């Protein structure tokens, strides 16, 4: 079931799972699920990077989502982790 969710979160440009591409990984820290992701390129448009983060957040609402290796990652992380999904 968790693998099914992983397969549903795809890179908008390639249509391939972010996890299969190695662009996302999961980690449990102190009982909290953290999902790290990064765009395929530092030149990936902001809207696609935000879409990837939102896709992750909606599939894993309990997770902390952390964007890495992107020039405005701090700002996007603030937005993504400020969203409460019920």
């Amino acid at each position: 079931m968790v693998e099914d969710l992983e397969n549903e979160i795809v890179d908008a440009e390639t249509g391939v799972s972010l996890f299969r591409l190695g662009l996302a990984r999961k980690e449990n820290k102190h009982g909290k699920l953290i999902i790290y992701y990064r765009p395929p390129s530092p030149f990936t448009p902001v809207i696609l990077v935000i879409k990837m983060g939102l896709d992750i957040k909606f599939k894993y609402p309990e997770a902390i989502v952390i964007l890495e290796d992107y020039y405005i990652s701090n700002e996007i992380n603030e937005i993504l982790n400020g969203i409460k999904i019920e």
Side-chain angles (χ1 to χ4, degrees):
M1 178 130 144
V2 172
E3 263 186 38
D4 292 339
L5 289 177
E6 289 178 4
N7 290 329
E8 290 180 17
I9 302 169
V10 298
D11 173 55
E13 295 175 306
T14 64
V16 177
S17 162
L18 291 178
F19 290 92
R20 269 186 83 184
L21 289 171
L23 298 176
R25 69 183 192 287
K26 293 185 290 185
E27 190 175 292
N28 281 303
K29 276 192 178 175
H30 309 291
K32 197 72 172 150
L33 176 63
I34 302 172
I35 300 177
Y36 299 90
Y37 80 104
R38 62 183 173 84
S41 161
F43 303 107
T44 301
V46 173
I47 193 70
L48 293 180
V49 174
I50 292 171
K51 181 197 180 308
M52 285 188 266
L54 288 172
D55 287 349
I56 294 168
K57 192 69 176 174
F58 279 98
K59 297 292 180 190
Y60 297 93
E62 74 285 356
I64 296 170
V65 179
I66 299 178
L67 170 63
E68 301 178 303
D69 301 327
Y70 197 66
Y71 72 102
I72 56 170
S73 58
N74 290 339
E75 293 84 350
I76 293 174
N77 288 334
E78 265 187 54
I79 292 166
L80 290 175
N81 292 301
I83 296 171
K84 302 294 179 219
I85 301 168
E86 297 178 23

